[in-house]
Amino acid sequence: MNETVGKVQVITSERDIPNAGLQRDWHQAAQRTLTALGEQWTAGSSRDRRLLVGCLHQDLAIARDHNLDLGWLTDAAWTYVGDSVWEPITQPPSWNSSAPSPAASTSTALAPSAGSPPSSRPTCCPPTCKRWRSTTEPSPRDTGQAAPSRRDYQQVADQGGRLAPAARRGLAHAARLAGDFPTALAAAQNLGWEGRHQRVLGDLYWLQGQPERAAAAYLAGRTEAEQHGKTGEAAHNQALRAFAIALYDPDQATAEIDLAYQLLASLNLRATTINVRRAELVRDASSDSVDNQIATLRTELDIAGLASLTPAIELAGAFHQAVLDDHTALHAAITRLREQTSDEDHAYFVDIAQFMAGLPLDQPSGARWLDGEQHTRSRWRGLVSARQAYLHASR
C-alpha cells in the first residue's frame, strides 16, 4: 500500500512498485523516497514533531528493508531523543530477511519500552550505539537499579559526544539519589542548558525543604525548554514546579497543575504525569481522597515497572499523614519508605518523613544536607505546620 508523509508518497510494500522485477529498481525507488522526505524534513519550516514521527515510522522501515544508509535519519533520530517526549516508533515486520542494518538497530532502539523514553535511559547512547539497551527492558534507573545506571552514565560522560551532557546530568542525579547533595550542587553549576541545570537545581532545593527556590528553578527550566522548542522538557519542569508549589501554596498549585496537564495533553509522558498526580496528592493533603489516590498510584507504578517513582509517592503520603498528625499511619509509611530505599538511593526520604512529623531520626541516612540537618528539619516541619494553619483558617 502507499502512504503519505507530508507531501511525499511513501512506498511501503513490494506491491507498490509496478513491474519491479529487479532488486536495483527496488533500491533506487526506496532511495528516492528516502531522499525526498529527507529534503522535506530538513527544510526549516517543516521540522515539526508530527512530521518527524511520521518520517521515523515510515522511513526507518524503508531504510531497514532496503539496507540503505541512514543519512538524514541519524539526525532525525537524535532530534527524536533530544526531548522528553515518547511516541512509540513501532515498525512492521521486515519482508527482507537480510542481516541487521543500522536502520534495523535504530528501529529497535526507538520501539516502545516498558518504562521510559530512550532519551531518559541511563545508557545515554545514540540509536546506532551497540550499548543502547534492549527496548524489551525497562530502564535500570526506573526499576531501582542505580549502580548499573551510574556506570553507564560515567562511561558515556567519559567518551564525550552528543549525549555527554545528559550523562553528566545523570551523574548529578546519582549523587543526589545517594544523598550527596553538595556534590550534586557542584555538578549542577557546570551542566548548562544541555545538561538541564535548572531542573537539577530544582530537584536539589525541594529536598532541602526549600520548595520556593525549587519552583523558581523549575520555572527557569521550563522557560529555557520553551525557548529551545523542547515540549517534553517544558512539561516535565512544569509538573515538578506544580509539585514544589503544592508544598507551600495549595491554592496556587491548582493553576500550576492545570497548566501541567495542558502541556501534557498532546504528549505521552507517563513518569511526568505521575509527578503531576504527586502534586495533586500534596495539594490535597488531609483530604479523605488521598489514601485512595496513593493506593491507585502504587498499583499503577507496580504494573508499569516504574519502581523508582514509588518512594516519591510514599513521601507525598507521609506529608499528608504529618499534616493530619496521624502518627500510626506515618510510622507505617516510614517503614515502607525504609524498605523501598534499602539500596540507599532516596534513603533520606525516611529522614524527611521524620522531619515533617518532628520525630527524631532513629536511623539517620547519612545524607549531606546543603546547610545542615537542623535547618533542613526546621524547614520541613515548618511546611507541615503552615499547612495545618492554612487548613485551620479555611474551616
Side-chain angles (χ1 to χ4, degrees):
M1 61 180 290
N2 290 346
E3 296 188 40
T4 300
V5 175
K7 300 178 181 178
V8 181
Q9 191 176 57
V10 179
I11 299 168
T12 59
S13 168
E14 182 178 4
R15 295 187 297 275
D16 297 331
I17 305 179
N19 305 316
L22 298 175
Q23 183 65 31
R24 181 181 61 188
D25 297 330
W26 275 89
H27 189 90
Q28 291 175 346
Q31 186 63 67
R32 286 195 298 271
T33 299
L34 198 65
T35 299
L37 276 167
E39 291 172 352
Q40 182 177 346
W41 182 75
T42 53
S45 61
S46 300
R47 297 185 72 156
D48 62 86
R49 187 82 185 177
R50 181 176 297 179
L51 178 62
L52 169 62
V53 173
C55 288
L56 290 173
H57 272 294
Q58 299 290 343
D59 292 351
L60 281 172
I62 293 172
R64 177 198 64 189
D65 289 345
H66 298 282
N67 198 26
L68 302 176
D69 291 335
L70 285 176
W72 66 272
L73 281 170
T74 299
D75 285 337
W78 277 109
T79 299
Y80 171 82
V81 300
D83 194 10
S84 302
V85 182
W86 179 232
E87 301 98 339
I89 305 297
T90 54
Q91 297 293 314
S94 174
W95 55 266
N96 185 344
S97 59
S98 60
S101 66
S105 299
T106 305
S107 298
T108 299
L110 298 180
S113 74
S116 54
S119 56
S120 31
R121 290 181 182 178
T123 47
C124 290
C125 297
T128 53
C129 173
K130 66 182 180 180
R131 283 189 53 78
W132 191 291
R133 191 171 300 280
S134 167
T135 53
T136 60
E137 306 172 19
S139 154
R141 185 180 65 191
D142 289 336
T143 55
Q145 301 175 41
S149 177
R150 283 192 289 269
R151 287 196 297 269
D152 287 342
Y153 282 136
Q154 188 64 62
Q155 179 177 348
V156 177
D158 291 344
Q159 291 174 347
R162 296 195 202 190
L163 284 174
R168 287 191 289 272
R169 180 176 76 246
L171 289 170
H173 282 323
R176 173 177 56 80
L177 293 175
D180 188 358
F181 301 127
T183 295
L185 180 61
Q189 311 304 321
N190 300 311
L191 289 176
W193 152 249
E194 289 186 344
R196 308 305 191 254
H197 59 146
Q198 295 291 354
R199 175 150 58 90
V200 174
L201 288 172
D203 291 346
L204 278 170
Y205 290 146
W206 77 260
L207 290 169
Q208 315 306 308
Q210 297 177 301
E212 297 95 335
R213 293 186 71 185
Y218 292 136
L219 176 58
R222 191 194 78 199
T223 301
E224 285 186 337
E226 290 168 343
Q227 291 170 346
H228 287 83
K230 301 298 185 183
T231 56
E233 179 66 21
H236 191 52
N237 274 279
Q238 179 57 33
L240 293 168
R241 173 173 164 80
F243 161 71
I245 289 175
L247 284 167
Y248 67 91
D249 191 338
D251 292 331
Q252 183 186 346
T254 296
E256 301 293 341
I257 289 167
D258 289 345
L259 177 56
Y261 278 129
Q262 289 175 29
L263 294 179
L264 284 165
S266 60
L267 307 176
N268 185 0
L269 289 172
R270 182 163 33 185
T272 303
T273 301
I274 294 295
N275 278 324
V276 184
R277 293 171 68 183
R278 178 171 59 137
E280 291 175 321
L281 293 177
V282 173
R283 178 199 61 187
D284 298 340
S286 83
S287 170
D288 293 340
S289 66
V290 170
D291 289 335
N292 287 335
Q293 293 177 54
I294 292 173
T296 299
L297 280 171
R298 287 188 193 122
T299 301
E300 291 180 11
L301 291 174
D302 184 57
I303 293 172
L306 297 176
S308 65
L309 296 179
T310 303
I313 298 302
E314 294 292 349
L315 188 63
F319 181 80
H320 160 69
Q321 290 143 8
V323 169
L324 289 174
D325 205 23
D326 185 347
H327 281 225
T328 300
L330 184 60
H331 280 296
I334 288 172
T335 299
R336 288 192 296 271
L337 276 170
R338 185 165 282 123
E339 292 171 352
Q340 293 161 3
T341 60
S342 59
D343 63 355
E344 297 186 356
D345 278 354
H346 287 128
Y348 48 80
F349 277 6
V350 176
D351 297 2
I352 292 174
Q354 292 175 321
F355 293 164
M356 289 175 179
L359 298 173
L361 295 184
D362 51 359
Q363 299 177 35
S365 68
R368 299 176 61 207
W369 306 101
L370 291 179
D371 58 355
E373 177 187 314
Q374 192 55 46
H375 288 297
T376 308
R377 169 187 288 276
S378 177
R379 286 192 293 265
W380 275 110
R381 183 58 185 163
L383 289 169
V384 170
S385 298
R387 179 61 60 89
Q388 290 171 332
Y390 164 85
L391 292 169
H392 180 76
S394 300
R395 292 192 180 100

